[in-house]
Amino acid sequence: MTRSRIVGTGAAVPKRILTNADLEKLVDTSDRWIMERTGIKERHIVSDGEKFSDLCTRAAELALKRAHVRPEQLDMILVGTVSSDMPFPATSCLVQHNIGASRAAASDVAAACVGFLYSLHFADALIQASKAEHVLVIGGEILSRIVDWTDRSTCVLFGDGAGAAVLQATKGDHGILGTRMKSDGNYADFICMPGGGSNRPANDPKSIEEKLPYIKMKGNETFKVAVKAMADVTAELLTEQGFPLEEIDLFIPHQANERIIDAVGERLKIPAEKVYKNIERYGNTSAASIPIALDECVREGKIAEGDLVLLTAFGAGLVWGSVLMRW
Ligand code: ACO
């Protein structure tokens, strides 16, 4: 059977680092509160003039180089994001132009923190259906530009970045084994940006007055749903694919909060040493969190050929999902 396999990864984060000590000067918070409640020590934040499409392009170029795939070989580019350069055109089209992927179709996928996994899900389906042979999947975000820097309950959480993976059609047992995506719009108000869309456009001065084009989050409520949803979808996928949890070599969960990561790991009974965490250095980079972590694991030799790798994420929508692959 035809499967899709990740043959190259790449990541890009802005140079500028914002520490908890820097945040102590902006809002009424402390390094201790942020570390205890989230596990975040610092995050990368764009400087003036840095663009989201540039971060995506850097990550994509690295992934293509490591995959030994030329841009003209790409059939499709998918960018998972909710913070594209502009509402339209899609960032994927800007990346297509930047890298010279002349043959590729391009589209963005708005699934917040699950944008990379939703994009993998679609890319995998295209490859399995023989509609594509090479797909570039990017997950990225510049949430620092839509965060309210006076709201201590959200501004300490997020970081910027992008990660990319090149998927290639392959025969055999390696590659994506299964994907499972879910959503529940009942909870749409848990994490949202109420302004800047067609309902309350950014060009309406009242939108700015009411601070609508900013991230709003019901953190506590989101936390509770996130732990159960992430654990349940992961367990369902493994049962569906017939793999017991003990066989998993590496679990890369979305890096939203260290307490969520630990709670999901405990619920699933995955040993802590198999659960990858880098939230301390990046914060919650939303759609970029899993591809940045995946790229780090590849670079640091934490994934060996044949390993079973499990990815699970959760975010605004609410949406959540899990992907299982044999490396
Ligand atoms: N510094 C100091 N105190 C703070 C801060 C801060 N930065 N932020 C909030 N507090 C205070 C609150 O005001 C509150 O004070 P009070 O008790 O006097 O009212 C107290 O700390 C506790 O606040 P909670 O909101 O209950 O804190 P909690 O332990 O829930 O942590 C957090 C908040 C970190 C946001 C957590 O709820 C969380 O991580 N939620 C999930 C986020 C998530 O998974 N999002 C999904 C992905 S995001 C996306 O899709 C874009």
Side-chain angles (χ1 to χ4, degrees):
M1 96 180 255
T2 303
R3 287 193 194 283
S4 58
R5 187 178 187 184
I6 294 181
V7 289
T9 62
V13 292
K15 277 208 179 79
R16 186 176 155 215
I17 289 175
L18 192 73
T19 64
N20 290 349
D22 296 327
L23 282 163
E24 284 174 356
K25 292 173 204 145
L26 283 180
V27 285
D28 180 14
T29 192
S30 65
D31 174 49
R32 191 170 164 193
W33 191 95
I34 303 172
M35 277 303 284
E36 277 179 11
R37 298 297 181 109
T38 72
I40 302 166
K41 185 118 207 103
E42 58 188 34
R43 64 291 284 144
H44 293 253
I45 299 286
V46 284
S47 304
D48 288 350
E50 271 187 288
K51 291 206 298 276
F52 175 58
S53 54
D54 293 339
L55 284 181
C56 292
T57 301
R58 271 167 50 204
E61 284 172 344
L62 283 168
L64 284 163
K65 192 172 161 214
R66 291 166 183 159
H68 303 290
V69 169
R70 284 174 286 109
E72 316 86 70
Q73 288 177 270
L74 292 174
D75 301 296
M76 183 81 203
I77 300 172
L78 294 169
V79 177
T81 190
V82 290
S83 52
S84 44
D85 281 13
M86 18 183 180
F88 64 91
T91 295
S92 49
C93 294
L94 308 179
V95 174
Q96 184 222 10
H97 171 72
N98 289 350
I99 63 175
S102 48
R103 287 181 49 251
S107 182
D108 286 2
V109 177
C113 302
V114 199
F116 181 74
L117 296 195
Y118 261 78
S119 301
L120 280 184
H121 175 69
F122 296 142
D124 180 51
L126 285 172
I127 288 176
Q128 279 194 47
S130 302
K131 303 236 178 213
E133 198 165 324
H134 291 100
V135 182
L136 172 65
V137 172
I138 300 173
E141 223 79 77
I142 293 190
L143 294 184
S144 66
R145 295 241 171 90
I146 53 171
V147 110
D148 177 357
W149 288 102
T150 64
D151 175 10
R152 68 176 181 173
S153 69
T154 53
C155 75
V156 302
L157 303 175
F158 300 107
D160 303 332
V166 176
L167 268 74
Q168 186 171 281
T170 178
K171 300 273 181 208
D173 296 338
H174 293 258
I176 293 182
L177 304 176
T179 64
R180 202 169 173 87
M181 299 299 131
K182 299 222 168 182
S183 69
D184 189 347
N186 266 323
Y187 302 112
D189 64 334
F190 274 23
I191 318 163
C192 60
M193 186 168 100
S198 58
N199 188 36
R200 298 298 307 271
N203 55 20
D204 171 5
K206 280 197 190 141
S207 276
I208 309 288
E209 257 171 56
E210 293 171 35
K211 285 202 154 188
L212 298 183
Y214 293 98
I215 296 175
K216 317 274 179 198
M217 184 166 76
K218 296 181 179 173
N220 221 280
E221 291 88 330
T222 306
F223 192 109
K224 287 173 200 152
V225 184
V227 174
K228 185 174 175 344
M230 287 175 76
D232 286 355
V233 75
T234 309
E236 283 168 24
L237 177 64
L238 286 175
T239 305
E240 181 191 276
Q241 294 300 320
F243 287 101
L245 265 162
E246 305 82 67
E247 286 189 24
I248 297 304
D249 296 292
L250 183 67
F251 178 47
I252 306 181
H254 170 47
Q255 312 282 309
N257 184 319
E258 190 172 21
R259 289 186 295 140
I260 294 181
I261 298 172
D262 292 344
V264 172
E266 278 162 29
R267 232 179 148 109
L268 289 169
K269 300 194 172 54
I270 301 184
E273 63 275 13
K274 289 187 176 178
V275 181
Y276 191 71
K277 291 194 246 183
N278 64 8
I279 188 167
E280 184 172 335
R281 289 175 284 126
Y282 297 106
N284 178 355
T285 56
S286 184
S289 100
I290 288 188
I292 289 175
L294 184 65
D295 183 60
E296 273 189 359
C297 291
V298 173
R299 305 265 76 72
E300 291 167 13
K302 290 190 163 65
I303 307 179
E305 172 115 6
D307 275 358
L308 271 181
V309 180
L310 190 55
L311 316 172
T312 300
F314 177 91
L318 295 174
V319 286
W320 59 101
S322 193
V323 172
L324 177 69
M325 60 180 109
R326 174 147 341 255
W327 199 257

